Amino acid sequence: MIRGLVALSVLAIAATNALYFHIAETERKCFIEEIPDETMVIGNYKVQLHDPNTNGYADYPSIGMHVEVKDPEEKVILSKLYLSEGRFTFTSHTPGEHTICLYSNSSSWFAGAQLRVHLDIQAGEHTQDYVQIAQKDKLNELQLRIRQLLDQVDQIQKEQNYQRYREERFRQTSESTNQRVLWWSIGQTFVLVATGAWQMRHLKGFFEAKKLV
Amino acid sequence: SSMRLLVLLFATLAPVACTLHRFKTLVEAGNTDCFTVDIKQTSVGVTASYMVISADSSHDIHFDLRGAQSSYQVKERRQRGIHTFDAAQGEMSLCLDNSYSYTADKMIAVSIHINDDIVPLSTVADKTTQAADRIQRQLKLAQNELYDRSNLEKKHRTVVENNFENINFWGIVNSCAMVTAGVVQVVAIRKLLK
């Protein structure tokens, strides 16, 4: 069952229209996922190495991929070394921007070779294991379908709540900015008047001392 | 039975699906980031969109989209854009070029939506399943809409947060400039009359 599921996810990379990009060996590529809390994120990836003989990209099982995930407070919540092909998973505990960074673990073995990384990141209800749920709760096809739709609606609701929270923050920042503008205007007017007053007083004393007035 | 469930899993998650690649990436100053999708179908509808969500609202990015077999080509330099076209089979590449910038790192939100129905709807005869398919399609549209809106909100919020910091900086600079000018004037007058 597990093997079937992993095979399916790998098939997902190979059969569907997966996205890929190139990185140098020591280069770090980061992606940002803005997700609400308690959301699971699954990333399927495959790494290939540039073969100068064929001028194409071929599988190289000994390359490892280092995956580092940081939460919105810059705390590292996942830092693991994986094989050249596989999947990584993490669940968010705080809402916000999570940074997913990928870099290979090979260092100057292949003298600055280019790596091709196929990547597919899924978040939310796409990550549920419906096979397991169907077996555990003994659901038939229609019930499983309805369950999946319910999960999708739940996810939308979660995202909308998160959106409300962010717009609240946006409004607070806006209002704080307005406050700041007001205080700085008053403050600078005060500084200007005070500087002028000091100038007048100082120069009056200076001219009187010089017997010019 | 487990094999059947596996097929069902594939069919459940993939119908009305479409492949969707959505991500945000930071393109550093002087760099070019390229992403490629190998289209497996002979001809498929693709919608590619991008938006710059940096703190500076004047930032734009050089966007270079190339469909396979020269089916579609776009080269533009804008803050946001959306392109819908039919892509031919082969490699479709999308490049975000920030090489013309010396110091500005740009955060770009990219979305590539490919209309490849893995399980075509015509094979499903059951009315209930068809209804479920329609509902799922609508929900997916709603999610996409939410995502686009959240990107726009992020862009505006970054600008306002940047302003918040800038006000302190310029306030201090202005105050120092005023005091310095005042002191320099007094010193100059004193020197003149010495």
Side-chain angles (χ1 to χ4, degrees):
Chain A
M1 175 54 59
I2 305 292
R3 257 188 302 140
L5 203 58
V6 171
L8 190 69
S9 60
V10 168
L11 185 72
I13 283 276
T16 59
N17 294 315
L19 184 85
Y20 67 80
F21 53 91
H22 298 128
I23 55 169
E25 259 185 274
T26 46
E27 198 185 322
R28 231 175 123 104
K29 194 65 162 243
C30 293
F31 296 95
I32 295 158
E33 284 286 325
E34 186 146 24
I35 44 180
D37 57 347
E38 305 309 322
T39 303
M40 182 154 84
V41 177
I42 292 185
N44 289 308
Y45 73 91
K46 185 166 120 154
V47 180
Q48 290 178 320
L49 181 66
H50 183 247
D51 187 1
N53 301 336
T54 62
N55 206 30
Y57 285 84
D59 296 330
Y60 209 90
S62 63
I63 298 179
M65 205 68 190
H66 208 109
V67 177
E68 191 183 78
V69 179
K70 282 199 204 137
D71 73 356
E73 280 124 37
E74 300 285 321
K75 199 175 68 149
V76 176
I77 59 175
L78 175 73
S79 182
K80 260 175 87 170
L81 183 66
Y82 293 90
L83 303 169
S84 69
E85 184 169 348
R87 72 187 344 212
F88 57 89
T89 316
F90 69 92
T91 307
S92 63
H93 297 293
T94 46
E97 288 193 335
H98 291 71
T99 315
I100 302 166
C101 288
L102 299 160
Y103 53 100
S104 73
N105 71 333
S106 64
S107 47
S108 353
W109 280 3
F110 308 103
Q114 284 271 319
L115 296 169
R116 176 178 285 185
V117 182
H118 300 253
L119 185 63
D120 182 38
I121 300 180
Q122 301 284 344
E125 87 290 354
H126 297 281
T127 60
Q128 293 274 43
D129 187 355
Y130 287 102
V131 175
Q132 211 176 38
I133 292 173
Q135 281 189 326
K136 194 173 70 127
D137 297 341
K138 301 203 184 5
L139 305 172
N140 65 22
E141 284 178 37
L142 183 62
Q143 287 172 327
L144 185 68
R145 202 62 203 278
I146 303 281
R147 172 70 66 93
Q148 190 256 323
L149 286 176
L150 284 173
D151 285 341
Q152 204 169 359
V153 172
D154 268 340
Q155 187 65 24
I156 290 178
Q157 202 168 13
K158 237 196 261 184
E159 277 168 18
Q160 279 185 319
N161 281 341
Y162 179 42
Q163 178 76 355
R164 207 173 296 148
Y165 156 78
R166 272 181 309 182
E167 287 187 4
E168 173 70 27
R169 242 183 65 191
F170 186 4
R171 190 170 58 82
Q172 279 175 353
T173 308
S174 232
E175 286 180 354
S176 301
T177 306
N178 279 356
Q179 281 263 3
R180 267 200 189 177
V181 169
L182 179 66
W183 284 117
W184 271 111
S185 305
I186 293 174
Q188 283 179 26
T189 309
F190 179 73
V191 165
L192 193 60
V193 168
T195 308
W198 171 81
Q199 280 181 322
M200 294 312 295
R201 212 187 53 182
H202 187 94
L203 285 175
K204 182 160 177 264
F206 176 67
F207 287 156
E208 277 170 357
K210 286 274 181 182
K211 307 261 195 302
L212 289 170
V213 287
Chain B
S1 158
S2 63
M3 197 54 222
R4 190 158 160 269
L5 275 171
L6 261 179
V7 172
L8 173 66
L9 170 73
F10 210 62
T12 309
L13 295 187
V16 303
C18 45
T19 312
L20 180 63
H21 297 290
R22 259 190 326 221
F23 53 90
K24 282 190 267 226
T25 183
L26 185 72
V27 185
E28 283 163 16
N31 282 1
T32 302
D33 280 350
C34 286
F35 301 93
T36 319
V37 178
D38 198 0
I39 309 267
K40 300 266 170 13
Q41 291 83 1
T42 334
S43 173
V44 68
V46 172
T47 305
S49 72
Y50 66 99
M51 173 157 57
V52 182
I53 44 178
S54 299
D56 191 336
S57 56
S58 66
H59 281 173
D60 54 12
I61 188 90
H62 196 113
F63 182 71
D64 191 354
L65 177 69
R66 247 173 264 147
Q69 303 166 27
S70 314
S71 55
Y72 189 82
Q73 202 148 336
V74 173
K75 263 194 212 300
E76 61 183 8
R77 196 180 131 170
R78 288 168 64 188
Q79 289 185 357
R80 61 190 295 206
I82 179 161
H83 298 276
T84 310
F85 59 97
D86 283 319
Q89 193 173 23
E91 287 187 352
M92 177 188 82
S93 80
L94 190 154
C95 284
L96 302 165
D97 189 359
N98 198 19
S99 54
Y100 60 89
S101 173
Y102 294 114
T103 50
D105 294 341
K106 290 162 192 170
M107 180 81 74
I108 320 280
V110 179
S111 161
I112 302 170
H113 181 266
I114 304 168
N115 281 338
D116 50 1
D117 285 322
I118 297 172
V119 173
L121 283 174
S122 57
T123 64
V124 173
D126 184 9
K127 273 211 169 124
T128 321
T129 322
Q130 280 183 352
D133 279 347
R134 278 203 306 274
I135 295 175
Q136 189 169 4
R137 178 168 282 159
Q138 291 300 102
L139 287 178
K140 269 207 166 26
L141 285 176
Q143 270 180 311
N144 286 347
E145 180 71 35
L146 267 182
Y147 191 81
D148 287 340
R149 197 170 295 185
S150 92
N151 275 347
L152 198 60
E153 184 262 346
K154 165 83 186 167
K155 180 190 168 92
H156 294 156
R157 187 159 44 91
T158 328
V159 171
V160 169
E161 281 173 357
N162 213 38
N163 287 349
F164 186 64
E165 301 301 320
N166 274 353
I167 284 170
N168 264 0
F169 175 72
W170 286 111
I172 292 173
V173 166
N174 279 352
S175 303
C176 288
M178 280 192 284
V179 168
T180 310
V183 167
V184 163
Q185 283 173 334
V186 166
V187 166
I189 291 176
R190 283 174 74 112
K191 278 230 168 77
L192 264 178
L193 297 171
K194 237 193 194 101

PDB file of all heavy atoms in Angstrom, chain A residues 2 12 15 28 47 49 51 58 60 93 96 100 107 110 115 124 134 149 159 177 181 188-189 196 202 212:
ATOM      1  N   ILE A   2       1.839   1.274   0.914  1.00  0.00           N
ATOM      2  CA  ILE A   2       2.727   2.441   0.985  1.00  0.00           C
ATOM      3  C   ILE A   2       3.527   2.543  -0.304  1.00  0.00           C
ATOM      4  O   ILE A   2       3.675   3.601  -0.878  1.00  0.00           O
ATOM      5  CB  ILE A   2       3.691   2.328   2.185  1.00  0.00           C
ATOM      6  CG1 ILE A   2       2.914   2.119   3.485  1.00  0.00           C
ATOM      7  CG2 ILE A   2       4.572   3.547   2.271  1.00  0.00           C
ATOM      8  CD1 ILE A   2       2.104   3.316   3.902  1.00  0.00           C
ATOM      9  N   ALA A  12       3.173  10.637 -10.449  1.00  0.00           N
ATOM     10  CA  ALA A  12       2.597  11.969 -10.588  1.00  0.00           C
ATOM     11  C   ALA A  12       3.627  12.930 -11.156  1.00  0.00           C
ATOM     12  O   ALA A  12       3.305  13.801 -11.940  1.00  0.00           O
ATOM     13  CB  ALA A  12       2.084  12.470  -9.244  1.00  0.00           C
ATOM     14  N   ALA A  15       4.275  11.453 -15.029  1.00  0.00           N
ATOM     15  CA  ALA A  15       3.214  11.449 -16.026  1.00  0.00           C
ATOM     16  C   ALA A  15       2.556  12.806 -16.223  1.00  0.00           C
ATOM     17  O   ALA A  15       2.158  13.135 -17.323  1.00  0.00           O
ATOM     18  CB  ALA A  15       2.151  10.424 -15.632  1.00  0.00           C
ATOM     19  N   ARG A  28      21.157  27.580  -3.886  1.00  0.00           N
ATOM     20  CA  ARG A  28      19.998  27.355  -3.025  1.00  0.00           C
ATOM     21  C   ARG A  28      18.794  27.990  -3.690  1.00  0.00           C
ATOM     22  O   ARG A  28      18.820  29.150  -4.038  1.00  0.00           O
ATOM     23  CB  ARG A  28      20.225  28.106  -1.733  1.00  0.00           C
ATOM     24  CG  ARG A  28      20.063  27.362  -0.465  1.00  0.00           C
ATOM     25  CD  ARG A  28      20.469  28.282   0.631  1.00  0.00           C
ATOM     26  NE  ARG A  28      19.410  28.450   1.570  1.00  0.00           N
ATOM     27  CZ  ARG A  28      19.397  27.861   2.772  1.00  0.00           C
ATOM     28  NH1 ARG A  28      20.394  27.115   3.144  1.00  0.00           N
ATOM     29  NH2 ARG A  28      18.404  28.039   3.587  1.00  0.00           N
ATOM     30  N   VAL A  47      15.582  14.837  -8.819  1.00  0.00           N
ATOM     31  CA  VAL A  47      16.783  15.564  -9.235  1.00  0.00           C
ATOM     32  C   VAL A  47      17.520  14.790 -10.322  1.00  0.00           C
ATOM     33  O   VAL A  47      17.702  13.582 -10.216  1.00  0.00           O
ATOM     34  CB  VAL A  47      17.749  15.759  -8.033  1.00  0.00           C
ATOM     35  CG1 VAL A  47      18.977  16.514  -8.472  1.00  0.00           C
ATOM     36  CG2 VAL A  47      17.056  16.495  -6.922  1.00  0.00           C
ATOM     37  N   LEU A  49      21.000  14.990 -13.108  1.00  0.00           N
ATOM     38  CA  LEU A  49      22.281  15.637 -13.325  1.00  0.00           C
ATOM     39  C   LEU A  49      22.553  15.802 -14.816  1.00  0.00           C
ATOM     40  O   LEU A  49      22.174  14.946 -15.614  1.00  0.00           O
ATOM     41  CB  LEU A  49      23.379  14.782 -12.684  1.00  0.00           C
ATOM     42  CG  LEU A  49      24.821  15.310 -12.770  1.00  0.00           C
ATOM     43  CD1 LEU A  49      24.957  16.573 -11.964  1.00  0.00           C
ATOM     44  CD2 LEU A  49      25.778  14.247 -12.260  1.00  0.00           C
ATOM     45  N   ASP A  51      24.384  15.539 -18.112  1.00  0.00           N
ATOM     46  CA  ASP A  51      25.362  14.602 -18.652  1.00  0.00           C
ATOM     47  C   ASP A  51      26.011  15.229 -19.883  1.00  0.00           C
ATOM     48  O   ASP A  51      25.358  15.366 -20.918  1.00  0.00           O
ATOM     49  CB  ASP A  51      24.648  13.291 -19.009  1.00  0.00           C
ATOM     50  CG  ASP A  51      25.618  12.207 -19.427  1.00  0.00           C
ATOM     51  OD1 ASP A  51      26.839  12.464 -19.423  1.00  0.00           O
ATOM     52  OD2 ASP A  51      25.151  11.106 -19.755  1.00  0.00           O
ATOM     53  N   ALA A  58      20.214  13.125 -16.792  1.00  0.00           N
ATOM     54  CA  ALA A  58      19.990  11.721 -16.449  1.00  0.00           C
ATOM     55  C   ALA A  58      19.908  11.557 -14.937  1.00  0.00           C
ATOM     56  O   ALA A  58      20.396  12.388 -14.165  1.00  0.00           O
ATOM     57  CB  ALA A  58      21.123  10.869 -17.006  1.00  0.00           C
ATOM     58  N   TYR A  60      20.760  10.291 -11.328  1.00  0.00           N
ATOM     59  CA  TYR A  60      22.023   9.983 -10.663  1.00  0.00           C
ATOM     60  C   TYR A  60      21.708   9.688  -9.213  1.00  0.00           C
ATOM     61  O   TYR A  60      21.584  10.608  -8.406  1.00  0.00           O
ATOM     62  CB  TYR A  60      22.955  11.196 -10.791  1.00  0.00           C
ATOM     63  CG  TYR A  60      24.407  10.814 -10.802  1.00  0.00           C
ATOM     64  CD1 TYR A  60      25.068  10.538 -11.996  1.00  0.00           C
ATOM     65  CD2 TYR A  60      25.123  10.744  -9.621  1.00  0.00           C
ATOM     66  CE1 TYR A  60      26.405  10.194 -12.008  1.00  0.00           C
ATOM     67  CE2 TYR A  60      26.452  10.401  -9.628  1.00  0.00           C
ATOM     68  CZ  TYR A  60      27.095  10.124 -10.821  1.00  0.00           C
ATOM     69  OH  TYR A  60      28.422   9.780 -10.832  1.00  0.00           O
ATOM     70  N   HIS A  93       2.262  25.162  11.955  1.00  0.00           N
ATOM     71  CA  HIS A  93       1.641  25.372  13.257  1.00  0.00           C
ATOM     72  C   HIS A  93       1.274  26.814  13.490  1.00  0.00           C
ATOM     73  O   HIS A  93       0.501  27.146  14.385  1.00  0.00           O
ATOM     74  CB  HIS A  93       2.559  24.850  14.370  1.00  0.00           C
ATOM     75  CG  HIS A  93       2.776  23.377  14.272  1.00  0.00           C
ATOM     76  ND1 HIS A  93       1.774  22.461  14.477  1.00  0.00           N
ATOM     77  CD2 HIS A  93       3.878  22.656  13.934  1.00  0.00           C
ATOM     78  CE1 HIS A  93       2.257  21.246  14.291  1.00  0.00           C
ATOM     79  NE2 HIS A  93       3.521  21.327  13.961  1.00  0.00           N
ATOM     80  N   GLY A  96       1.109  31.819   8.061  1.00  0.00           N
ATOM     81  CA  GLY A  96       2.063  32.798   7.545  1.00  0.00           C
ATOM     82  C   GLY A  96       2.895  32.245   6.416  1.00  0.00           C
ATOM     83  O   GLY A  96       2.583  31.206   5.839  1.00  0.00           O
ATOM     84  N   ILE A 100      10.473  27.310   1.758  1.00  0.00           N
ATOM     85  CA  ILE A 100      10.981  25.958   1.467  1.00  0.00           C
ATOM     86  C   ILE A 100      12.224  26.114   0.603  1.00  0.00           C
ATOM     87  O   ILE A 100      12.143  26.618  -0.514  1.00  0.00           O
ATOM     88  CB  ILE A 100       9.926  25.141   0.703  1.00  0.00           C
ATOM     89  CG1 ILE A 100       8.638  25.058   1.517  1.00  0.00           C
ATOM     90  CG2 ILE A 100      10.443  23.746   0.385  1.00  0.00           C
ATOM     91  CD1 ILE A 100       7.457  24.572   0.717  1.00  0.00           C
ATOM     92  N   SER A 107      29.188  18.602  -3.150  1.00  0.00           N
ATOM     93  CA  SER A 107      29.991  19.824  -3.224  1.00  0.00           C
ATOM     94  C   SER A 107      31.213  19.586  -4.077  1.00  0.00           C
ATOM     95  O   SER A 107      32.088  18.822  -3.692  1.00  0.00           O
ATOM     96  CB  SER A 107      30.402  20.258  -1.813  1.00  0.00           C
ATOM     97  OG  SER A 107      30.894  19.141  -1.108  1.00  0.00           O
ATOM     98  N   PHE A 110      31.210  17.250  -9.003  1.00  0.00           N
ATOM     99  CA  PHE A 110      31.029  17.249 -10.447  1.00  0.00           C
ATOM    100  C   PHE A 110      31.452  18.559 -11.076  1.00  0.00           C
ATOM    101  O   PHE A 110      31.026  18.895 -12.151  1.00  0.00           O
ATOM    102  CB  PHE A 110      29.558  16.947 -10.767  1.00  0.00           C
ATOM    103  CG  PHE A 110      29.059  15.710 -10.072  1.00  0.00           C
ATOM    104  CD1 PHE A 110      28.257  15.802  -8.965  1.00  0.00           C
ATOM    105  CD2 PHE A 110      29.436  14.457 -10.526  1.00  0.00           C
ATOM    106  CE1 PHE A 110      27.800  14.663  -8.312  1.00  0.00           C
ATOM    107  CE2 PHE A 110      28.990  13.311  -9.882  1.00  0.00           C
ATOM    108  CZ  PHE A 110      28.162  13.411  -8.769  1.00  0.00           C
ATOM    109  N   LEU A 115      22.100  21.019 -12.152  1.00  0.00           N
ATOM    110  CA  LEU A 115      21.129  20.007 -11.746  1.00  0.00           C
ATOM    111  C   LEU A 115      19.750  20.422 -12.217  1.00  0.00           C
ATOM    112  O   LEU A 115      19.406  21.595 -12.204  1.00  0.00           O
ATOM    113  CB  LEU A 115      21.107  19.892 -10.213  1.00  0.00           C
ATOM    114  CG  LEU A 115      22.382  19.412  -9.532  1.00  0.00           C
ATOM    115  CD1 LEU A 115      22.280  19.610  -8.041  1.00  0.00           C
ATOM    116  CD2 LEU A 115      22.616  17.949  -9.853  1.00  0.00           C
ATOM    117  N   GLY A 124      -2.695  21.669   1.732  1.00  0.00           N
ATOM    118  CA  GLY A 124      -4.102  21.623   2.091  1.00  0.00           C
ATOM    119  C   GLY A 124      -4.761  20.285   1.811  1.00  0.00           C
ATOM    120  O   GLY A 124      -4.183  19.242   2.089  1.00  0.00           O
ATOM    121  N   ALA A 134     -10.651   5.990   3.382  1.00  0.00           N
ATOM    122  CA  ALA A 134     -11.697   5.106   2.874  1.00  0.00           C
ATOM    123  C   ALA A 134     -11.652   3.756   3.585  1.00  0.00           C
ATOM    124  O   ALA A 134     -12.691   3.193   3.928  1.00  0.00           O
ATOM    125  CB  ALA A 134     -11.534   4.912   1.373  1.00  0.00           C
ATOM    126  N   LEU A 149     -14.899  16.542  -0.994  1.00  0.00           N
ATOM    127  CA  LEU A 149     -15.471  17.872  -1.211  1.00  0.00           C
ATOM    128  C   LEU A 149     -15.577  18.632   0.108  1.00  0.00           C
ATOM    129  O   LEU A 149     -15.303  19.821   0.189  1.00  0.00           O
ATOM    130  CB  LEU A 149     -16.853  17.761  -1.859  1.00  0.00           C
ATOM    131  CG  LEU A 149     -16.883  17.371  -3.328  1.00  0.00           C
ATOM    132  CD1 LEU A 149     -18.307  17.211  -3.808  1.00  0.00           C
ATOM    133  CD2 LEU A 149     -16.175  18.415  -4.177  1.00  0.00           C
ATOM    134  N   GLU A 159      -8.666  29.223   4.751  1.00  0.00           N
ATOM    135  CA  GLU A 159      -7.945  30.264   4.040  1.00  0.00           C
ATOM    136  C   GLU A 159      -8.654  31.606   4.142  1.00  0.00           C
ATOM    137  O   GLU A 159      -8.014  32.648   4.235  1.00  0.00           O
ATOM    138  CB  GLU A 159      -7.745  29.854   2.571  1.00  0.00           C
ATOM    139  CG  GLU A 159      -6.548  28.953   2.408  1.00  0.00           C
ATOM    140  CD  GLU A 159      -6.477  28.297   1.039  1.00  0.00           C
ATOM    141  OE1 GLU A 159      -7.140  28.792   0.114  1.00  0.00           O
ATOM    142  OE2 GLU A 159      -5.759  27.302   0.914  1.00  0.00           O
ATOM    143  N   THR A 177       0.529  53.805  10.705  1.00  0.00           N
ATOM    144  CA  THR A 177       1.260  54.696   9.806  1.00  0.00           C
ATOM    145  C   THR A 177       0.647  56.097   9.853  1.00  0.00           C
ATOM    146  O   THR A 177       1.371  57.084   9.952  1.00  0.00           O
ATOM    147  CB  THR A 177       1.215  54.164   8.362  1.00  0.00           C
ATOM    148  OG1 THR A 177       1.676  52.828   8.361  1.00  0.00           O
ATOM    149  CG2 THR A 177       2.074  54.993   7.436  1.00  0.00           C
ATOM    150  N   VAL A 181       2.517  59.553  11.032  1.00  0.00           N
ATOM    151  CA  VAL A 181       2.612  60.757  10.200  1.00  0.00           C
ATOM    152  C   VAL A 181       2.169  61.961  11.002  1.00  0.00           C
ATOM    153  O   VAL A 181       2.809  63.020  11.016  1.00  0.00           O
ATOM    154  CB  VAL A 181       1.750  60.600   8.926  1.00  0.00           C
ATOM    155  CG1 VAL A 181       1.623  61.923   8.204  1.00  0.00           C
ATOM    156  CG2 VAL A 181       2.348  59.573   8.014  1.00  0.00           C
ATOM    157  N   GLN A 188       7.965  67.777  14.079  1.00  0.00           N
ATOM    158  CA  GLN A 188       8.853  68.577  13.240  1.00  0.00           C
ATOM    159  C   GLN A 188       8.478  70.049  13.270  1.00  0.00           C
ATOM    160  O   GLN A 188       9.353  70.922  13.236  1.00  0.00           O
ATOM    161  CB  GLN A 188       8.823  68.042  11.801  1.00  0.00           C
ATOM    162  CG  GLN A 188       9.630  66.779  11.651  1.00  0.00           C
ATOM    163  CD  GLN A 188       9.576  66.241  10.249  1.00  0.00           C
ATOM    164  OE1 GLN A 188       9.358  66.983   9.302  1.00  0.00           O
ATOM    165  NE2 GLN A 188       9.744  64.952  10.100  1.00  0.00           N
ATOM    166  N   THR A 189       7.187  70.350  13.355  1.00  0.00           N
ATOM    167  CA  THR A 189       6.769  71.752  13.493  1.00  0.00           C
ATOM    168  C   THR A 189       7.350  72.329  14.777  1.00  0.00           C
ATOM    169  O   THR A 189       7.875  73.449  14.808  1.00  0.00           O
ATOM    170  CB  THR A 189       5.235  71.849  13.529  1.00  0.00           C
ATOM    171  OG1 THR A 189       4.706  71.141  12.411  1.00  0.00           O
ATOM    172  CG2 THR A 189       4.780  73.295  13.477  1.00  0.00           C
ATOM    173  N   GLY A 196      13.947  78.124  15.556  1.00  0.00           N
ATOM    174  CA  GLY A 196      13.815  79.550  15.253  1.00  0.00           C
ATOM    175  C   GLY A 196      13.900  80.402  16.507  1.00  0.00           C
ATOM    176  O   GLY A 196      14.612  81.422  16.543  1.00  0.00           O
ATOM    177  N   HIS A 202      19.491  83.708  20.790  1.00  0.00           N
ATOM    178  CA  HIS A 202      20.945  83.672  20.761  1.00  0.00           C
ATOM    179  C   HIS A 202      21.519  84.893  20.039  1.00  0.00           C
ATOM    180  O   HIS A 202      22.457  85.543  20.502  1.00  0.00           O
ATOM    181  CB  HIS A 202      21.388  82.373  20.054  1.00  0.00           C
ATOM    182  CG  HIS A 202      22.866  82.145  20.102  1.00  0.00           C
ATOM    183  ND1 HIS A 202      23.453  81.376  21.073  1.00  0.00           N
ATOM    184  CD2 HIS A 202      23.865  82.597  19.309  1.00  0.00           C
ATOM    185  CE1 HIS A 202      24.770  81.356  20.874  1.00  0.00           C
ATOM    186  NE2 HIS A 202      25.049  82.087  19.799  1.00  0.00           N
ATOM    187  N   LEU A 212      25.445  96.316  18.977  1.00  0.00           N
ATOM    188  CA  LEU A 212      24.931  96.700  17.660  1.00  0.00           C
ATOM    189  C   LEU A 212      23.477  97.145  17.731  1.00  0.00           C
ATOM    190  O   LEU A 212      22.952  97.759  16.824  1.00  0.00           O
ATOM    191  CB  LEU A 212      25.039  95.531  16.665  1.00  0.00           C
ATOM    192  CG  LEU A 212      26.474  95.208  16.235  1.00  0.00           C
ATOM    193  CD1 LEU A 212      26.508  93.913  15.465  1.00  0.00           C
ATOM    194  CD2 LEU A 212      27.027  96.350  15.378  1.00  0.00           C
TER     195      LEU A 212
END
